[in-house]
Every structure is written in structure tokens, then in C-alpha cells.
Amino acid sequence: MTAQIIDGKAFAAALRARVGGVATAFETASGRKAGLAVVLVGEDPASAVYVRSKGKATLAANMASFEHKLPADTAQADLIALVDRLNADPAVDGILVQLPLPAHLDEQAVLLRINPNKDVDGFHPVNAGRLATGLPGFVPCTPLGCLMLLQDQLGDLSGKEAVVIGRSNIVGKPMAALLTAASCTVTLAHSRTRDLAAHVSRADIVVAAVGRAGFVKGEWLKPGATVIDVGINRVEGGLVGDVEFDSAACVAGAITPVPGGVGPMTIACLLRNTLVAAHRNAGVELDEAAL
Ligand SMILES: Nc1nc(=O)c2c([nH]1)NC[C@@H]1CN(c3ccc(C(=O)N[C@@H](CCC(=O)O)C(=O)O)cc3)C=[N+]21
């Protein structure tokens, strides 16, 4: 093995500590805590674990956490009514509706209902449009965390060849937009891409977000490439990413592990986005670049 292991867990802990410090200053300046509301519909055990760890991290960063647990058979109108109440609540700066929702609910309609200025997930089409056009808004937490790890690892990304594998609204598309804004030459690959290995072999940066265990092989990589593995796949024996770790670690210059890579960054960036929302909502100034 030659690759450096990118310690997302440690980077996320440092980010959460910085957020906690600024959150304390925000409370002094505004007379209230920054607040995050998390809505969980149904009893999916994995979702319940994530929601609990988000709540814990929110409190540890000196922010207020509001958890709303609704039964699996919640009606669309009741979920929309809750979103409306959270939109109107001045103690709530950020709203996260845990996905996926039960199949009878219209996910798109719920996301559209969230006030874009409280949309700390960055899933509202208004925020997708802001990202695409370079306006200030909210960037989805997972790709934001990936960008931070890449900039920490490589410094200026300008001119680098980046291949993003996966075109979801939550990871692939916003990741491609962020790398484009950072002046990379970006290839957005997906399930219909022909000769993916040839694209990957030219990349200085590979971001894998396909949701298939061990899909990206080490032999595809350019020696020294930086590999960001967004995948979280449950297999016999634990969690694995979308990159075949052992073969990739022999070729890459640096690689994120699963777990302990991108996952912890997602939660740290959620706290960061919530704190940014609080400053904007309260009209308190913040040097966002320093967070
Ligand atoms: N509206 C919404 N926003 C989300 O951001 C959102 C969501 N819905 N639904 C579910 C996914 C998943 N997600 C993760 C967050 C943290 C880890 C994480 O911290 N993982 C750790 C440990 C994982 C474990 O041990 O189970 C790691 O990779 O090291 C993983 C996954 C956020 N999501």
C-alpha cells in the first residue's frame, strides 16, 4: 500500500470544533442559539441512527436541536404542515427532512416546501440553481465535505482533471458544479458512460458516488490520483465504499476510507450550513471562508 489515508473523521472533528466556537459567539451576538430541526418519518433503523448522531453533534456544537419523529403512515398534508410551522419558527435556522421518505409521500413536494433560506441540505431547486450560477446559497453537505477534503489535500484545484462517477442531485451533480467552480476540468460519468476506466485513468481527482460496493478498481487509476469514496455499502463484515480499497490504495496518492472518510464530513458540513443560515437569518456578519 502506498496511498496516504485521508482522515475525514479527524478533519470533521476539527470542523465541528470550529463551528462550536463560532456558534458560541453567535449566541452572544444574537441572544439565541442557532437551531437545526430534523424531521424523521417512519422507523427505518439506519435513519434513526443518523438522526440521533446529528442531534448529538448539534448539541455538542452549542446549537439547538429540534427532533420531529412522525409515524410511518403520516399523511402528506401533515408533513407539509410541519414544514410550514418550521419555516415560520424563528428559533429554527435549518430544516432537514431525512430521506428517503416512505413510498406514499411525495419527496419532491416536501423539499420544494422548505424555505430555501433554511434548506441546509441544499436540496431545494433554488439552491441547486444558486450553486449552478455561482450565487450564495446552501451546498449539499456531502459534496461540500468532499471539496473541503480535496482542498486540504491538494491546495488549489485549478486545472486538475476530475472525474465524478454518479449523477444524483444529492452528490454527483453538485460535486461536478463545485469542482467546475474550483476550475477543475470535470467529467461527470454515470451508468451509461462508455469505457469508464479510460476516463478514470486520466483523472487527478476521482469522486465515486455510485452506490455499488467496490465498483471502482485500483487498476483504473492514474498513479498518484486523489480518490474520494462517497459510497456507504453494507456488506457481510461491515461497511465498504464504492472503491475497491485494497487495489486502489496501491495506486492512488491519497484515498478516503469507509467508514471514517466522507461520512463524518457530511454531518460536520450540516452543522456548518446551519450556523451560516443562522447568521444570515439573524443579520449577524460571518466570515464564511474562515469556517
Ligand atoms: N435529508 C437528508 N440529508 C442527509 O444528509 C442524509 C439523508 N437525508 N439521508 C441519509 C443520508 C446518509 N447520511 C450520512 C451521514 C453521515 C454518515 C456517517 O457519519 N458515516 C460514518 C459511520 C457510518 C456507520 O458506522 O454506520 C462514516 O462513514 O464513517 C453516513 C451517512 C446522510 N444522509
Side-chain angles (χ1 to χ4, degrees), residues 50 54 96-99 121 123 232 234 239 259-260 263-264 266-267:
Y50 289 136
K54 282 169 192 166
L96 180 147
V97 177
Q98 183 76 11
L99 303 180
D121 259 330
F123 293 168
I232 298 189
R234 261 163 236 285
L239 287 187
T266 298
I267 293 183

Side-chain angles (χ1 to χ4, degrees), residues 39-43 70-83 97-111:
V39 179
L40 174 61
V41 184
E43 272 111 58
L70 304 182
D73 63 354
T74 295
Q76 179 81 12
D78 292 334
L79 180 54
I80 293 285
L82 173 58
V83 170
V97 177
Q98 183 76 11
L99 303 180
L101 289 170
H104 70 282
L105 294 170
D106 180 350
E107 215 160 81
Q108 205 50 45
V110 173
L111 297 182

Side-chain angles (χ1 to χ4, degrees), residues 35-178:
L36 173 66
V38 175
V39 179
L40 174 61
V41 184
E43 272 111 58
D44 177 56
S47 290
V49 170
Y50 289 136
V51 168
R52 239 195 327 280
S53 59
K54 282 169 192 166
K56 262 177 51 186
T58 306
L59 297 177
N62 195 36
M63 301 197 270
S65 170
F66 309 98
E67 278 184 29
H68 294 267
K69 293 191 178 146
L70 304 182
D73 63 354
T74 295
Q76 179 81 12
D78 292 334
L79 180 54
I80 293 285
L82 173 58
V83 170
D84 286 345
R85 284 203 302 284
L86 297 173
N87 281 338
D89 185 343
V92 172
D93 295 293
I95 302 170
L96 180 147
V97 177
Q98 183 76 11
L99 303 180
L101 289 170
H104 70 282
L105 294 170
D106 180 350
E107 215 160 81
Q108 205 50 45
V110 173
L111 297 182
L112 271 170
R113 195 76 173 200
I114 296 172
N115 178 342
N117 298 326
K118 295 190 176 190
D119 170 39
V120 288
D121 259 330
F123 293 168
H124 193 290
V126 163
N127 281 316
R130 288 168 171 165
L131 174 59
T133 56
L135 293 171
F138 292 106
V139 175
C141 303
T142 298
L144 180 58
C146 293
L147 182 75
M148 286 182 178
L149 292 178
L150 284 168
Q151 288 176 327
D152 181 61
Q153 190 67 31
L154 298 170
D156 183 13
L157 303 182
S158 172
K160 301 216 179 279
E161 293 282 339
V163 171
V164 178
I165 313 171
R167 56 176 152 177
S168 71
N169 290 334
I170 289 172
V171 181
K173 279 189 239 172
M175 188 78 246
L178 283 171

